[in-house]
Amino acid sequence: AQSVTQLDSHVSVSEGTPVLLRCNYSSSYSPSLFWYVQHPNKGLQLLLKYTSAATLVKGINGFEAEFKKSETSFHLTKPSAHMSDAAEYFCVVITPTSGTYKYIFGTGTRLKVLA
Amino acid sequence: DTEVTQTPKHLVMGMTNKKSLKCEQHMGHRAMYWYKQKAKKPPELMFVYSYEKLSINESVPSRFSPECPNSSLLNLHLHALQPEDSALYLCASSQDPGQGGGYTFGSGTRLTVV
């Protein structure tokens, strides 16, 4: 069965410093992986996705993630945090079911950006 | 149009009320989803519609009744809800249910049951 584990429930960084949000996955085959961001009382916005093409995936707002099969990881990074990056981040793997696909969500990482 | 629109944004209802949540997309997506999200938790899948047919029901209580009148519209009918059903209800859509691509989420309906 597919699953993802977000290793940190909370991460705090200072504005202008790098961001690292960690996600490990478990999958019996080559997975499709996503990162979503959710600002307070908002829906989820797709940051980036990995679907077995390039292992370094660039997303919106300066975020990127690297798929590492040997480490079963898909960590999200950004070189320089901005105050507007403060939000909840979800790592997601998809799993096939009933002729379609389901999202399997990680438990989320709350990013706090300090001025 | 690249959005999923949900109405209303906020809803307060009594336990004996009947209400409906509405979700609309005009991206030509053929899969639509209802999720329930409690505070500080990830979204939980409730229903999946694939080509306007219900393909997944995650053992949701019958007081929640989904409906997909056409390929652009998804409703969630609510009846006799409990206070523990208070949550953010998110709708999402995706282009092809058989390809597992990214979802587009709406901003949600914040439901409070009193």
Side-chain angles (χ1 to χ4, degrees), chain B residues 23-98:
Chain B
C23 172
E24 200 162 4
Q25 57 88 13
H26 297 285
M27 296 176 282
H29 288 179
R30 302 314 304 268
M32 297 185 77
Y33 312 82
W34 280 116
Y35 282 85
K36 173 183 177 180
Q37 187 178 26
K38 302 286 274 186
K40 302 185 189 303
K41 298 288 187 184
E44 300 171 13
L45 182 64
M46 300 175 72
F47 303 103
V48 179
Y49 272 83
S50 176
Y51 296 98
E52 300 157 53
K53 293 191 182 337
L54 183 64
S55 62
I56 296 177
N57 176 342
E58 293 284 89
S59 302
V60 179
S62 59
R63 58 185 183 269
F64 295 91
S65 175
E67 179 196 20
C68 189
N70 59 58
S71 61
S72 299
L73 190 56
L74 185 66
N75 298 319
L76 186 63
H77 303 297
L78 314 173
H79 174 54
L81 295 193
Q82 303 297 308
E84 59 264 29
D85 296 321
S86 299
L88 182 67
Y89 287 84
L90 293 164
C91 175
S93 69
S94 65
Q95 187 167 23
D96 185 336

Side-chain angles (χ1 to χ4, degrees), chain A residues 91-103:
Chain A
C91 182
V92 177
V93 66
I94 62 170
T95 186
T97 181
S98 304
T100 183
Y101 288 86
K102 282 173 54 172
Y103 269 12

